């Protein structure tokens, strides 16, 4: 049996046919492109020394498999591109006749070309097969594993043949761009989301969060939200996720920008008590901004008096301190932290100046606040990089022992006395 190929549009970048001026070469070219030329002649022309003739055979839908097999190994990359395109376009027909010997030979040639060293050939085949349900699974998996994102990316994002197991396997060796392509895949299964959330870079997780059709489990989303304090690129996608737990919403409300907090407070899928809490926090933020603008930054003694007044009213709470830090008012935030921890302002200032993650964590602990606030203050006030931040322990608590945190405060107190005199 001979498979009729789908007519192939000439590679416009190649464009050799229109440039032929030699009458003899033009005549041979017509013979090579004529669908009525006998298979034997086309097979012979597939080995012609002139690339124009071989290109004409490659684009001839009536070329026999013997000619295609010769051209699939052609030394000229452009010829192999033409054959790769033709064979890929034949896949729907080949898939219906899987027990035919001719189909097996087509599959063998295609398998050869998807391993070709020329990126352009692999990319052409990937572009044709990326959404084709009749494509061979092993070929799709080979293309999806390609080191070049121009080849693997479209297949990873769009091929209906890749299973959850395939995608998890691909993640094991994926480069960042490939992992992001997997994260952006429509309808991404929850198991794949779990793998991405557990061990991939910030940009890949951002791509996952922006994928509204990804089936991210509530527990997985909560874990991402718990790590999001210093990952500002996650904030917008998180607050706009189609489904968000009340726990995650409350956590995000502690550090996202005012406009994003408003988005959270305007959601209709959260419990009434959660929405009430979010709106209270938003009002507090707006009230803080108004009061801060009226007061200005003030001198240190005035800031300490203000913090003591807040404490006396019972208003020296986490979200008030975080609001000051989030708006870049480091001096006010440090004054509030010092009052809450009952230490001199120089101790808090010294911890920030030293960029001491342990020092900031210890002061937050002494103040009776949570590790969540400690993570935020390390970034916002001490200006530590994400990689340098002390993170909560497995239970979400402080990662340091109480004795070590007491020692840190003593150390900061003694050294601050020398530095901030």
């Amino acid at each position: 049996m001979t498979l009729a190929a789908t007519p192939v549009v000439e590679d416009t970048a190649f464009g050799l046919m229109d440039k032929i001026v030699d009458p003899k070469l033009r005549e041979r070219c017509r013979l090579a492109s004529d669908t009525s030329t006998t298979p034997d002649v086309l097979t012979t022309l597939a080995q012609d020394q002139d690339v124009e003739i071989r290109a004409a055979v490659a684009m001839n839908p009536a070329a026999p498999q013997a000619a295609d097999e010769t051209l699939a190994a052609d030394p000229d990359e452009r010829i192999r591109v033409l054959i790769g395109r033709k064979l890929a376009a034949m896949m729907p027909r080949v898939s219906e006749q899987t027990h035919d010997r001719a189909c097996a030979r087509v599959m063998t040639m295609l398998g050869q070309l998807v391993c070709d060293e020329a990126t352009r050939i692999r990319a052409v085949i990937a572009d044709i097969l990326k959404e084709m349900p009749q494509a061979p699974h092993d070929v799709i998996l080979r293309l999806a594993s390609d080191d070049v994102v121009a080849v693997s990316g479209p297949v990873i994002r769009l091929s209906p043949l890749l299973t959850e197991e395939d995608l998890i396997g691909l993640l094991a060796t994926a480069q960042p761009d490939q992992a992001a392509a997997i994260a952006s895949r429509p309808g991404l299964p929850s198991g794949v989301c779990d793998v991405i959330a557990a061990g991939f870079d910030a940009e890949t997780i951002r791509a996952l969060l922006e994928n509204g059709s990804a089936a991210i489990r509530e527990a997985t989303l909560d874990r991402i939200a718990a790590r999001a304090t210093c990952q500002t690129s996650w904030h917008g996608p998180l607050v706009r996720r189609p489904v968000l737990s009340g726990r995650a919403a409350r956590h995000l409300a502690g550090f996202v920008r005012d406009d994003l907090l408003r988005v959270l407070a305007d959601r209709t899928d959260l419990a009434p008590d959660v929405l009430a809490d979010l709106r209270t926090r938003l009002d507090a933020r707006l009230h803080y901004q108004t009061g801060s603008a009226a007061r200005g930054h003030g001198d240190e003694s005035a800031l300490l008096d203000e913090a003591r007044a807040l404490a006396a009213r019972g208003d020296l709470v986490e979200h008030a301190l975080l609001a000051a830090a989030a708006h870049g008012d480091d001096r006010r935030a440090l004054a509030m932290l010092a009052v809450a921890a009952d230490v001199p302002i120089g101790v808090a200032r010294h911890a920030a100046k030293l960029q001491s993650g342990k020092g900031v964590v210890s002061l937050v602990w002494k103040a009776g606040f949570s590790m969540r606030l400690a993570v935020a203050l390390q970034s916002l006030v001490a200006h530590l990089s994400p990689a340098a931040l002390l993170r909560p322990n497995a239970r979400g608590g402080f990662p340091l022992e109480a004795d070590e945190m007491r020692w840190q405060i003593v150390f900061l107190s003694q050294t601050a006395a020398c530095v901030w005199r």
Side-chain angles (χ1 to χ4, degrees), residues 47-243:
Q47 304 174 62
D48 197 281
Q49 64 179 359
D50 290 309
V51 68
E52 297 91 340
I53 306 303
R54 305 199 306 276
V57 176
M59 291 184 289
N60 189 334
Q65 282 194 347
D68 287 343
E69 287 172 349
T70 297
L71 295 170
D74 196 280
D76 194 307
E77 174 186 323
R78 297 168 296 178
I79 300 297
R80 303 197 305 278
V81 166
L82 294 173
I83 289 296
R85 182 178 294 159
K86 178 163 71 173
L87 295 176
M90 291 167 63
M91 280 304 102
R93 201 171 294 107
V94 169
S95 66
E96 297 171 0
Q97 305 164 30
T98 54
H99 299 296
D100 186 86
R101 182 178 297 178
C103 297
R105 291 169 68 185
V106 170
M107 297 288 289
T108 299
M109 282 187 282
L110 190 64
Q112 171 187 330
L113 289 167
V114 296
C115 296
D116 198 288
E117 63 180 14
T119 298
R120 186 181 172 206
I121 295 169
R122 306 193 309 274
V124 162
I125 296 172
D127 186 60
I128 294 173
L129 298 183
K130 64 180 184 289
E131 295 182 84
M132 191 182 289
Q134 304 93 342
H137 180 263
D138 60 331
V139 169
I140 287 295
L141 202 52
R142 174 67 184 82
L143 292 169
S145 304
D146 201 286
D147 290 338
V148 179
V149 177
V151 177
S152 57
V155 176
I156 285 172
R157 283 192 296 271
L158 299 171
S159 177
L161 299 175
L162 291 173
T163 66
E164 182 171 350
E165 292 73 21
D166 291 336
L167 295 169
I168 291 174
L170 290 168
L171 283 170
T173 57
Q175 300 172 25
D177 287 346
Q178 292 168 320
I182 293 173
S184 303
R185 183 179 166 87
L188 196 66
S190 58
V192 183
C193 297
D194 290 345
V195 173
I196 292 172
F200 279 81
D201 62 281
E203 281 304 299
T204 299
I205 293 176
R206 179 189 60 76
L208 176 66
L209 294 171
E210 290 178 343
N211 182 353
S213 67
I216 307 176
R217 288 188 243 262
E218 181 178 304
T220 301
L221 200 58
D222 286 352
R223 285 195 292 272
I224 295 174
R227 296 158 48 203
T229 304
C230 303
Q231 299 291 351
T232 56
S233 66
W234 297 0
H235 295 179
L238 271 168
V239 302
R240 296 185 175 94
R241 283 298 305 173
V243 178

Side-chain angles (χ1 to χ4, degrees), residues 221 238-246 248-249 252 264 267 269-270:
L221 200 58
L238 271 168
V239 302
R240 296 185 175 94
R241 283 298 305 173
V243 178
L244 193 65
S245 72
L252 291 169
L264 279 174
R267 289 182 70 118
D269 61 327
L270 297 172

Side-chain angles (χ1 to χ4, degrees), residues 244-260:
L244 193 65
S245 72
R247 180 170 53 255
R250 280 188 163 113
H251 178 69
L252 291 169
F255 51 81
V256 298
R257 299 190 316 262
D258 295 350
D259 58 320
L260 295 177

